[in-house]
Amino acid sequence: GEDSGYRYETGGIMKDIRTLKVEDVREYHRQYYRPDNLALIVTGMFQEDTPMLMKEVRKVEEKMVERFDVGMKRPWQTPPAPTLTTNTTQTIAYPAEGDAPSLMAMAWRGPSHGDHETMLALSILWDYLSDTSVSPLSKELVDSSDPHCTNISMSLVTNADVMWYLHFSNAVSSKVEEIDEKVMSFIQKEHEGSLDMVHMHALVTKTALQFVSELEDDPVDHISGTFIGDMLYSTSTDLESAMNESLHYQVLQEKSESYWKELINKHILENPHGSVIARPSNEVSLQLGKEEKRRIAKRKKTLGEKGLKKLKEDLKEANKKNDIPVPAEVIESIPIPSHDSIKFFPVTTVRNGVAVTQSPLAKKIESQVFGPDAPRPPFFIQCDHVDASFVKVNFYIDSQPLSPS
């Protein structure tokens, strides 16, 4: 709808940005940058410091509550545009020079943000259909004797209702209009035939392992992203379901072929989709260049020499203010905590069969790696044991003795 934020480009469009006034920016800031539209996410290893942290948060919260507007209309809670009732295709021209390829995307509207199990299942299903060279769509449209494009990628857009879209890179212009029909035909064929459930279950396992790996490598980013999505789009208490992602993978691992076929039927075949074809156009590129030259000339004429000089001075003054360094007393006023407060992960190291720390665990690792009575290898080996779900192996080979040939 006209009043929905989903219809606008994130970051803005230049023609709109040029017409913005400082009063517009201030009004937007006043309306949305406020305590009742705020989520505070604190991450880290909290133990004895937790009560102190919560005490300080409550002090700030008590001050903020006084400014809450219980009648505030939260952004992104407005329902997105009505769902499509039929498949639609739109062809547009994009500025390009030379022999540029065509571009194409197909998009399906998915379940609501709170239906986490279905979201994960559809992500895995689209991987099955398009992600690798053995996937049905890739085999037919990319890795074939008559390719239609060079790559197919699937992306998930998380809103109040999620959206999946297929992007076809470097599409052959003479064949780009065939892609929509071929995609739906191939998916229909998959639905009518037998799905490769060995491959499907392998994808569920792979995705579950990727989830655990992401949690280990960057838990802050993964967990905070879940909280932010819940704050922006959820209208019910479904945060617990979002945080229990590993349980959803366990459930999906037990799903039968009929479950996955029903997903194909409900969310792809019977779910109207939209397609956009972008064809390269040198004429559009030339037209945009001419329009930009006219705009600049008109702007210069409107401002005149004095106006241009004033804007130049204003910009120079603004940059000067932005470059003012933070006062040393402000930086020095921030207390520096002791390094004793840093919580390190315990690591047990074994090198070439000699336990660096002669602990029972180190000796156990030594026995497992080298064997209780096996001879030790003549080259350097180091094993670092940490509490993790995966094993990472690095090999470093000295190539100096080798000849260039």
Side-chain angles (χ1 to χ4, degrees):
E2 290 293 323
D3 61 343
S4 175
Y6 294 110
R7 69 186 295 268
Y8 297 102
E9 177 68 24
T10 303
I13 299 174
M14 283 305 301
K15 69 179 182 65
D16 296 328
I17 294 174
R18 291 190 181 107
T19 60
L20 277 177
K21 298 179 175 61
V22 66
E23 292 79 10
D24 299 327
V25 177
R26 287 171 178 163
E27 172 58 23
Y28 184 89
H29 189 278
R30 184 201 65 78
Q31 188 173 356
Y32 294 112
Y33 285 72
R34 46 196 290 168
D36 41 347
N37 191 36
L38 168 72
L40 176 64
I41 301 173
V42 184
T43 59
M45 299 176 65
F46 300 106
Q47 295 175 6
E48 64 274 3
D49 297 335
T50 303
M52 180 183 69
L53 171 66
M54 297 308 299
K55 181 179 179 181
E56 296 302 317
V57 169
R58 288 192 187 97
K59 288 180 182 178
V60 178
E61 190 177 46
E62 289 170 359
K63 295 178 182 178
M64 292 166 54
V65 167
E66 299 173 0
R67 299 169 53 195
F68 276 20
D69 179 5
V70 294
M72 178 197 176
K73 185 178 180 180
R74 289 274 308 282
W76 310 117
Q77 298 296 316
T78 305
T83 55
L84 296 175
T85 57
T86 185
N87 297 331
T88 62
T89 300
Q90 183 177 1
T91 301
I92 60 174
Y94 78 92
E97 297 180 0
D99 189 21
S102 292
L103 306 171
M104 183 176 176
M106 299 175 65
W108 288 260
R109 193 160 170 174
S112 65
H113 180 268
D115 191 353
H116 301 289
E117 184 176 302
T118 303
M119 287 171 57
L120 294 175
L122 283 169
S123 293
I124 293 169
L125 178 61
W126 278 116
D127 280 349
Y128 173 87
L129 292 171
S130 64
D131 191 50
T132 66
S133 59
V134 299
S135 300
L137 295 182
S138 294
K139 284 195 298 185
E140 299 290 346
L141 296 173
V142 179
D143 300 303
S144 68
S145 58
D146 187 26
H148 285 64
C149 58
T150 60
N151 184 58
I152 302 175
S153 59
M154 168 55 63
S155 296
L156 166 66
V157 179
T158 304
N159 295 322
D161 286 354
V162 299
M163 179 187 75
W164 275 269
Y165 73 91
L166 281 174
H167 180 257
F168 304 86
S169 302
N170 302 314
V172 180
S173 293
S174 61
K175 303 176 183 178
V176 66
E177 292 184 353
E178 303 173 2
I179 291 178
D180 186 304
E181 183 178 351
K182 284 184 175 295
V183 166
M184 298 308 295
S185 175
F186 295 147
I187 295 178
Q188 179 70 49
K189 183 178 178 181
E190 282 295 308
H191 181 260
E192 293 173 354
S194 297
L195 300 180
D196 184 350
M197 294 308 297
V198 173
H199 182 44
M200 187 75 77
H201 288 146
L203 283 175
V204 176
T205 301
K206 171 189 170 184
T207 310
L209 290 173
Q210 288 175 336
F211 163 69
V212 175
S213 178
E214 289 172 4
L215 273 185
E216 289 192 356
D217 291 343
D218 195 353
V220 172
D221 183 67
H222 189 90
I223 295 175
S224 61
T226 303
F227 282 133
I228 292 171
D230 182 79
M231 181 241 183
L232 289 176
Y233 307 116
S234 292
T235 57
S236 60
T237 56
D238 52 24
L239 180 59
E240 182 178 354
S241 174
M243 296 300 293
N244 287 330
E245 190 168 326
S246 58
L247 295 181
H248 295 310
Y249 291 121
Q250 294 176 22
V251 172
L252 293 176
Q253 193 64 262
E254 302 300 321
K255 295 295 186 181
S256 64
E257 182 184 39
S258 61
Y259 169 82
W260 298 100
K261 284 193 171 185
E262 176 57 26
L263 279 182
I264 294 175
N265 188 57
K266 178 179 178 180
H267 292 280
I268 302 177
L269 296 177
E270 293 187 354
N271 186 18
H273 67 273
S275 295
V276 177
I277 298 172
R279 290 187 173 276
S281 172
N282 185 51
E283 291 78 11
V284 171
S285 180
L286 294 173
Q287 180 64 25
L288 289 176
K290 292 177 182 178
E291 290 177 359
E292 181 65 5
K293 287 181 180 179
R294 286 197 295 266
R295 185 193 68 80
I296 293 174
K298 182 180 178 181
R299 183 65 171 159
K300 285 182 177 180
K301 183 178 180 180
T302 301
L303 291 169
E305 290 295 330
K306 290 184 178 180
L308 288 171
K309 184 178 180 180
K310 183 179 184 304
L311 286 180
K312 182 178 180 180
E313 293 172 351
D314 290 346
L315 178 60
K316 184 178 179 180
E317 185 63 24
N319 286 331
K320 183 179 178 181
K321 290 181 179 179
N322 285 335
D323 292 337
I324 295 175
V326 178
E329 57 269 20
V330 173
I331 298 177
E332 293 170 357
S333 67
I334 301 174
I336 301 176
S338 170
H339 60 77
D340 293 335
S341 64
I342 300 175
K343 307 295 191 302
F344 292 98
F345 291 101
V347 178
T348 301
T349 300
V350 174
R351 293 175 181 152
N352 271 35
V354 177
V356 175
T357 53
Q358 298 297 329
S359 64
L361 177 58
K363 293 177 180 178
K364 180 179 179 181
I365 296 172
E366 178 186 7
S367 177
Q368 290 177 338
V369 172
F370 300 107
D373 302 313
R376 299 303 184 247
F379 46 84
F380 178 79
I381 295 179
Q382 175 170 318
C383 300
D384 298 309
H385 174 74
V386 295
D387 187 10
S389 302
F390 302 93
V391 174
K392 183 177 181 180
V393 180
N394 291 320
F395 291 93
Y396 298 93
I397 301 175
D398 183 10
S399 61
Q400 185 176 358
L402 301 178
S403 65
S405 59

